[in-house]
Amino acid sequence: MSNYHIKHLEEYFQVYRKSVRNPEVFWEEIAEEHFVWHKRWKNVLSWDFSKPEVKWFEGAKLNITENCIDRHLKIRGNKTAILFEPNNPDEEAEHITYLQLFERVNKFANVLKQEGIRKGDRVCIYLPMIPELAISVLACARIGAIHSVVFAGFSSTALSTRINDSDCKMVITSDGSYRGNKTVDLKGIVDDALNQCPCVISVLVAKRINSKINMKENRDKWLQPLLDEASNSCEPEIMDAEDPLFILYTSGSTGKPKGMVHSTAGYMVYTAYTFKNVFNYREEDIYWCTADIGWITGHSYIVYGPLANGATTVMFEGVPNFPDYGRFWQIIEKHKVNQFYTAPTAIRALAKEKLDFVEQYDLSSLKVLGTVGEPINEEAWHWYNDHVGKKKSPIVDTWWQTETGGMMISPIPYVTPTKATYATLPLPGVQLALMDEQGKEIKENQVDGRLCVVYPWPAMARTIWGNHQRFKETYFSTFENKYFTGDGALRDEVGYYRITGRVDDVIIVSGHNLGTAPIEDAINEHQAVAESAVVGFPHDIKGKALYGFVILKETGETRVHENLRKEINQVITERIGPIAKLDKIQFVPGLPKTRSGKIMRRILRKIVENDTANLGDISTLLNPEVVEAIIEGSLVK
Ligand code: WT7
């Protein structure tokens, strides 16, 4: 049905109009035709953003794993569901067919049951990117247990906070993990965390690196022997449409992490639909998303969305620079990847290296390139387009959030004309509004404002675990009857959206609103610059002035030219105007980043405010060591 796979621009507009005129009919048709249900819904949608309460497909009964696995067995039993590419390129890739996935998920589900896990129980999964991660997620869903995956790069403190917040009964982990040429002692981290977690009764341990670990009696068990004994058939638990499927934590600007709760039916329908359209997915395609399943991107677009479409989804255990900076491109050639989905931070890091790393591989299988996680700057967009896509693969710049469950704004490849740095148009069913600071909706184009969603979409988070009030305050109180994203966006003359970044990153200089993203964009255009971050610092006359942290391409380069500073400001002046010029430019060896690759501007702000005593916890950063170096070279001391 055309609703489900949009093929040209006119059709997009038709489908979009229909989805707005009658959202219930639109989603109902998709739900009816493309999924298996045990019982049909009584009501497609009921909602009230003032509470907030949203229910999709109320009364329906289903199990998401039947939709992601069982129903494919007849026609795709021998098709690869998960293609596992290990950290070490010399280790063989593993092709897990739909039939094998079915058996492994069933066995795992039976082990969970045997260990006392029941429908509604929370299970924390703290695993590296190995098949057991996807399998354990699905095994939880099979029996109706709520999974809470914690990215296996988080510290023991971060882990214990999350375990306790949702009262997990069990932790699934591994002895350790590989990361490039290093190993990480995951079980040790879990042991530390569990000193603080009385709620955890049992720990299942997968073997990955064969390290010697401590097994606590009556609590810890090796996974494999249990799996070996388990039956490979486990009847799926029949769930209500609105039963929680999982909890996933996301950090707020203040306070402890928020456990976003996603429910079953709407999430399934929405991630499947967006996967199909945004990646123009066809039956024989090999699809690869480089994210970790510890983030929402991995939940929705490594596991659920692809599998609901019977796709082959690549799971990569390693890192982009091991054994060298060509690894991503080598994997694309090796598995003939058709759709490749990654983050701007990865693109920028790889663009910094010699072109040879890209050019030595055959990337002709690629049809669609995706990006997600932060605004993609002009330079990175073009590098991706020119050198990876060879100007032949459309780039889908997908804007969405942990809270939205699935992509919200994105081009549809080969349908929506792309525009560098623009996420372009809302996907069907997504009704947006831009708001001004007074809380009024801005109707005209060529403006920027605060990005809101005014109507429910099926994959939206339903609450924050254990704190519905916070859910309401964070997302539904800034603007009446609207979901507030926390992002700023610009709408151009044709209605394309460009996400300008979190509104808390906006800096007001001499009364002018300046977004950090466009300034960084401009800085990055200077040919000597690899990456940059801009924050505001207190200024007597302007209120706030701009402080730029700049990584030069020649990483060994420590000489700092006054000329370079002038040139960078020249580019900014040309691109934005003299108002956006930087007052201070510090050349740095790196920028503090979260594990998911986001620049921690909060830390940079503290440094420029000369408030380094209050940096907060930097131990969960990807690269805590750069903080010291930045403080040392700071220009505000
Ligand atoms: C925030 C959500 C959803 C996947 C991973 C991030 C920023 C996300 C884009 C994009 C510009 C983007 C927003 C958003 N963001 N995608 N294509 N262009 N900004 O999930 O950790 O929940 O972060 O990431 O600021 O609010 P998340």
Side-chain angles (χ1 to χ4, degrees), residues 41 249 382 455:
W41 46 91
Y249 286 88
H382 285 292
Y455 199 86

Side-chain angles (χ1 to χ4, degrees), residues 169-361:
K169 254 183 152 169
M170 174 190 268
V171 177
I172 302 170
T173 188
S174 64
D175 51 357
S177 67
Y178 293 118
R179 261 192 94 71
N181 50 23
K182 293 194 291 257
T183 58
V184 183
D185 173 23
L186 286 192
K187 181 60 167 55
I189 296 171
V190 170
D191 289 342
D192 280 351
L194 293 192
N195 287 329
Q196 318 297 327
C197 303
C199 50
V200 173
I201 298 163
S202 62
V203 177
L204 299 181
V205 187
K207 197 169 251 180
R208 177 57 182 146
I209 66 168
N210 286 306
S211 56
K212 243 189 97 52
I213 56 165
N214 177 50
M215 294 291 275
K216 187 168 169 181
E217 243 191 281
N218 298 326
R219 188 194 71 182
D220 303 351
K221 289 183 183 161
W222 287 106
L223 181 62
Q224 197 54 49
L226 299 175
L227 289 172
D228 290 342
E229 293 300 307
S231 142
N232 61 12
S233 121
C234 172
E235 280 303 305
E237 186 78 35
I238 304 308
M239 307 297 286
D240 287 340
E242 281 295 321
D243 277 339
L245 174 64
F246 64 86
I247 300 168
L248 185 61
Y249 286 88
T250 183
S251 39
S253 35
T254 54
K256 62 176 185 172
K258 299 171 284 193
M260 305 312 306
V261 179
H262 282 282
S263 67
T264 307
Y267 177 82
M268 171 183 79
V269 169
Y270 194 81
T271 54
Y273 176 77
T274 48
F275 174 79
K276 173 83 177 165
N277 279 288
V278 173
F279 293 114
N280 188 28
Y281 178 76
R282 309 293 171 101
E283 185 65 41
E284 300 309 320
D285 289 346
I286 309 287
Y287 160 84
W288 180 23
C289 164
T290 67
D292 192 288
I293 293 174
W295 311 118
I296 191 70
T297 308
H299 282 61
S300 303
Y301 299 110
I302 296 178
V303 183
Y304 290 114
L307 296 179
N309 282 283
T312 298
T313 176
V314 175
M315 238 184 116
F316 175 46
E317 183 186 27
V319 292
N321 60 353
F322 176 78
D324 62 40
Y325 284 98
R327 187 69 192 276
F328 275 4
W329 323 125
Q330 179 255 332
I331 294 173
I332 292 173
E333 175 183 286
K334 177 178 172 190
H335 296 303
K336 302 195 168 47
V337 170
N338 302 112
Q339 290 93 357
F340 177 68
Y341 191 28
T342 194
T345 183
I347 298 167
R348 287 194 298 264
L350 296 170
K352 216 167 75 178
E353 302 304 322
K354 283 202 224 67
L355 258 188
D356 199 41
F357 283 119
V358 193
E359 286 175 347
Q360 64 180 291
Y361 296 106

